[in-house]
mmCIF file of all heavy atoms in Angstrom:
data_model
loop_
_atom_site.group_PDB
_atom_site.id
_atom_site.type_symbol
_atom_site.label_atom_id
_atom_site.label_comp_id
_atom_site.label_asym_id
_atom_site.label_seq_id
_atom_site.Cartn_x
_atom_site.Cartn_y
_atom_site.Cartn_z
ATOM 1 N N ASN A 70 90.070 61.306 112.505
ATOM 2 C CA ASN A 70 90.384 60.266 111.538
ATOM 3 C C ASN A 70 90.689 60.911 110.182
ATOM 4 O O ASN A 70 89.841 61.711 109.685
ATOM 5 C CB ASN A 70 89.136 59.333 111.390
ATOM 6 C CG ASN A 70 89.446 58.153 110.549
ATOM 7 O OD1 ASN A 70 89.382 58.241 109.331
ATOM 8 N ND2 ASN A 70 89.798 57.015 111.113
ATOM 9 N N HIS A 71 91.737 60.623 109.652
ATOM 10 C CA HIS A 71 92.203 61.118 108.267
ATOM 11 C C HIS A 71 92.293 59.992 107.354
ATOM 12 O O HIS A 71 93.483 59.516 107.126
ATOM 13 C CB HIS A 71 93.374 61.852 108.385
ATOM 14 C CG HIS A 71 93.764 62.865 107.316
ATOM 15 N ND1 HIS A 71 94.580 63.824 107.374
ATOM 16 C CD2 HIS A 71 93.498 62.647 105.909
ATOM 17 C CE1 HIS A 71 94.771 64.440 106.148
ATOM 18 N NE2 HIS A 71 94.051 63.723 105.408
ATOM 19 N N ALA A 72 91.344 59.398 106.935
ATOM 20 C CA ALA A 72 91.345 58.110 106.183
ATOM 21 C C ALA A 72 91.703 58.175 104.676
ATOM 22 O O ALA A 72 91.983 57.158 104.054
ATOM 23 C CB ALA A 72 89.940 57.377 106.283
ATOM 24 N N SER A 73 91.495 59.357 104.170
ATOM 25 C CA SER A 73 91.932 59.546 102.718
ATOM 26 C C SER A 73 92.536 60.903 102.510
ATOM 27 O O SER A 73 92.570 61.700 103.499
ATOM 28 C CB SER A 73 90.550 59.435 101.913
ATOM 29 O OG SER A 73 89.973 60.696 101.974
ATOM 30 N N LEU A 74 93.067 61.082 101.418
ATOM 31 C CA LEU A 74 93.749 62.348 100.970
ATOM 32 C C LEU A 74 92.931 63.607 100.962
ATOM 33 O O LEU A 74 93.292 64.674 100.717
ATOM 34 C CB LEU A 74 94.575 62.138 99.853
ATOM 35 C CG LEU A 74 95.846 61.308 100.025
ATOM 36 C CD1 LEU A 74 96.472 61.046 98.618
ATOM 37 C CD2 LEU A 74 96.807 61.888 100.939
ATOM 38 N N THR A 75 91.601 63.312 100.997
ATOM 39 C CA THR A 75 90.671 64.485 100.852
ATOM 40 C C THR A 75 89.677 64.522 102.033
ATOM 41 O O THR A 75 88.795 65.413 101.968
ATOM 42 C CB THR A 75 89.782 64.331 99.485
ATOM 43 O OG1 THR A 75 89.124 62.999 99.579
ATOM 44 C CG2 THR A 75 90.734 64.380 98.288
ATOM 45 N N LEU A 76 89.736 63.809 102.953
ATOM 46 C CA LEU A 76 88.741 63.718 104.054
ATOM 47 C C LEU A 76 89.409 63.514 105.440
ATOM 48 O O LEU A 76 90.166 62.556 105.687
ATOM 49 C CB LEU A 76 87.728 62.644 103.819
ATOM 50 C CG LEU A 76 86.653 62.439 104.966
ATOM 51 C CD1 LEU A 76 85.778 63.726 105.043
ATOM 52 C CD2 LEU A 76 85.782 61.172 104.647
ATOM 53 N N SER A 77 89.073 64.393 106.320
ATOM 54 C CA SER A 77 89.442 64.301 107.741
ATOM 55 C C SER A 77 88.201 64.536 108.526
ATOM 56 O O SER A 77 87.356 65.371 108.189
ATOM 57 C CB SER A 77 90.525 65.191 108.222
ATOM 58 O OG SER A 77 90.793 65.126 109.490
ATOM 59 N N THR A 78 88.000 63.723 109.594
ATOM 60 C CA THR A 78 86.849 63.960 110.513
ATOM 61 C C THR A 78 87.231 64.274 111.880
ATOM 62 O O THR A 78 88.259 63.555 112.329
ATOM 63 C CB THR A 78 85.854 62.766 110.474
ATOM 64 O OG1 THR A 78 86.594 61.610 110.904
ATOM 65 C CG2 THR A 78 85.361 62.572 109.072
ATOM 66 N N LEU A 79 86.522 65.067 112.545
ATOM 67 C CA LEU A 79 86.614 65.355 114.034
ATOM 68 C C LEU A 79 85.344 64.985 114.707
ATOM 69 O O LEU A 79 84.244 65.502 114.292
ATOM 70 C CB LEU A 79 87.050 66.792 114.179
ATOM 71 C CG LEU A 79 86.871 67.343 115.633
ATOM 72 C CD1 LEU A 79 87.978 66.737 116.479
ATOM 73 C CD2 LEU A 79 86.904 68.825 115.693
ATOM 74 N N THR A 80 85.424 63.994 115.648
ATOM 75 C CA THR A 80 84.295 63.530 116.368
ATOM 76 C C THR A 80 84.497 64.139 117.847
ATOM 77 O O THR A 80 85.443 63.738 118.552
ATOM 78 C CB THR A 80 84.087 62.103 116.417
ATOM 79 O OG1 THR A 80 84.005 61.675 115.074
ATOM 80 C CG2 THR A 80 82.932 61.602 117.251
ATOM 81 N N VAL A 81 83.559 65.026 118.288
ATOM 82 C CA VAL A 81 83.507 65.451 119.674
ATOM 83 C C VAL A 81 82.667 64.499 120.494
ATOM 84 O O VAL A 81 81.398 64.370 120.208
ATOM 85 C CB VAL A 81 82.970 66.807 119.748
ATOM 86 C CG1 VAL A 81 83.017 67.427 121.185
ATOM 87 C CG2 VAL A 81 83.721 67.750 118.790
ATOM 88 N N THR A 82 83.257 63.684 121.328
ATOM 89 C CA THR A 82 82.562 62.656 122.025
ATOM 90 C C THR A 82 82.060 63.172 123.442
ATOM 91 O O THR A 82 82.668 64.025 123.990
ATOM 92 C CB THR A 82 83.405 61.460 122.280
ATOM 93 O OG1 THR A 82 84.491 61.807 123.070
ATOM 94 C CG2 THR A 82 83.958 60.900 121.011
ATOM 95 N N SER A 83 80.992 62.653 123.830
ATOM 96 C CA SER A 83 80.306 63.150 124.990
ATOM 97 C C SER A 83 80.398 64.758 125.218
ATOM 98 O O SER A 83 81.046 65.122 126.151
ATOM 99 C CB SER A 83 81.007 62.348 126.164
ATOM 100 O OG SER A 83 80.265 62.701 127.382
ATOM 101 N N ALA A 84 79.854 65.290 124.298
ATOM 102 C CA ALA A 84 79.959 66.790 124.286
ATOM 103 C C ALA A 84 79.326 67.418 125.499
ATOM 104 O O ALA A 84 78.186 66.970 125.994
ATOM 105 C CB ALA A 84 79.262 67.277 122.981
ATOM 106 N N HIS A 85 79.892 68.505 125.968
ATOM 107 C CA HIS A 85 79.466 69.282 126.955
ATOM 108 C C HIS A 85 79.336 70.765 126.568
ATOM 109 O O HIS A 85 79.990 71.097 125.622
ATOM 110 C CB HIS A 85 80.411 69.108 128.272
ATOM 111 C CG HIS A 85 80.344 67.724 128.893
ATOM 112 N ND1 HIS A 85 79.314 67.403 129.714
ATOM 113 C CD2 HIS A 85 81.149 66.791 128.763
ATOM 114 C CE1 HIS A 85 79.546 66.165 130.059
ATOM 115 N NE2 HIS A 85 80.682 65.714 129.517
ATOM 116 N N PRO A 86 78.666 71.453 127.372
ATOM 117 C CA PRO A 86 78.433 72.972 126.917
ATOM 118 C C PRO A 86 79.725 73.724 126.670
ATOM 119 O O PRO A 86 79.737 74.612 125.885
ATOM 120 C CB PRO A 86 77.584 73.532 127.981
ATOM 121 C CG PRO A 86 76.727 72.425 128.543
ATOM 122 C CD PRO A 86 77.648 71.212 128.476
ATOM 123 N N GLU A 87 80.735 73.371 127.537
ATOM 124 C CA GLU A 87 82.078 74.072 127.286
ATOM 125 C C GLU A 87 82.794 73.724 126.020
ATOM 126 O O GLU A 87 83.739 74.387 125.662
ATOM 127 C CB GLU A 87 82.960 73.792 128.566
ATOM 128 C CG GLU A 87 83.275 72.310 128.751
ATOM 129 C CD GLU A 87 82.335 71.607 129.812
ATOM 130 O OE1 GLU A 87 81.180 72.108 129.877
ATOM 131 O OE2 GLU A 87 82.733 70.692 130.432
ATOM 132 N N ASP A 88 82.211 72.658 125.332
ATOM 133 C CA ASP A 88 82.760 72.366 123.992
ATOM 134 C C ASP A 88 82.202 73.175 122.900
ATOM 135 O O ASP A 88 82.646 73.196 121.689
ATOM 136 C CB ASP A 88 82.506 70.869 123.703
ATOM 137 C CG ASP A 88 83.140 69.899 124.679
ATOM 138 O OD1 ASP A 88 84.344 70.173 125.080
ATOM 139 O OD2 ASP A 88 82.622 68.907 124.984
ATOM 140 N N SER A 89 81.192 73.903 123.283
ATOM 141 C CA SER A 89 80.498 74.835 122.276
ATOM 142 C C SER A 89 81.634 75.878 121.764
ATOM 143 O O SER A 89 82.267 76.558 122.563
ATOM 144 C CB SER A 89 79.419 75.615 122.972
ATOM 145 O OG SER A 89 78.456 74.753 123.390
ATOM 146 N N SER A 90 81.737 75.903 120.515
ATOM 147 C CA SER A 90 82.882 76.682 119.875
ATOM 148 C C SER A 90 82.743 76.655 118.392
ATOM 149 O O SER A 90 81.724 76.022 117.825
ATOM 150 C CB SER A 90 84.261 76.114 120.273
ATOM 151 O OG SER A 90 85.268 76.972 119.857
ATOM 152 N N PHE A 91 83.583 77.404 117.679
ATOM 153 C CA PHE A 91 83.669 77.372 116.330
ATOM 154 C C PHE A 91 84.909 76.623 115.893
ATOM 155 O O PHE A 91 86.042 76.826 116.395
ATOM 156 C CB PHE A 91 83.859 78.879 115.790
ATOM 157 C CG PHE A 91 83.722 79.105 114.353
ATOM 158 C CD1 PHE A 91 82.573 78.655 113.725
ATOM 159 C CD2 PHE A 91 84.675 79.823 113.624
ATOM 160 C CE1 PHE A 91 82.418 78.866 112.308
ATOM 161 C CE2 PHE A 91 84.535 80.064 112.305
ATOM 162 C CZ PHE A 91 83.424 79.574 111.655
ATOM 163 N N TYR A 92 84.650 75.481 115.213
ATOM 164 C CA TYR A 92 85.637 74.563 114.787
ATOM 165 C C TYR A 92 85.959 74.759 113.371
ATOM 166 O O TYR A 92 85.149 74.751 112.479
ATOM 167 C CB TYR A 92 85.268 73.109 115.056
ATOM 168 C CG TYR A 92 85.099 72.805 116.529
ATOM 169 C CD1 TYR A 92 83.928 73.014 117.249
ATOM 170 C CD2 TYR A 92 86.168 72.255 117.293
ATOM 171 C CE1 TYR A 92 83.756 72.834 118.607
ATOM 172 C CE2 TYR A 92 86.075 72.050 118.685
ATOM 173 C CZ TYR A 92 84.886 72.257 119.172
ATOM 174 O OH TYR A 92 84.665 72.038 120.592
ATOM 175 N N ILE A 93 87.226 74.864 113.035
ATOM 176 C CA ILE A 93 87.621 75.192 111.771
ATOM 177 C C ILE A 93 88.784 74.212 111.364
ATOM 178 O O ILE A 93 89.661 73.957 112.119
ATOM 179 C CB ILE A 93 88.330 76.574 111.606
ATOM 180 C CG1 ILE A 93 87.278 77.672 112.090
ATOM 181 C CG2 ILE A 93 88.797 76.920 110.163
ATOM 182 C CD1 ILE A 93 87.912 79.148 112.219
#
Side-chain angles (χ1 to χ4, degrees):
Chain A
N70 184 281
H71 193 159
S73 79
L74 288 172
T75 60
L76 173 65
S77 177
T78 61
L79 168 69
T80 302
V81 183
T82 62
S83 186
H85 291 282
E87 57 265 30
D88 298 323
S89 299
S90 187
F91 192 51
Y92 292 87
I93 306 174

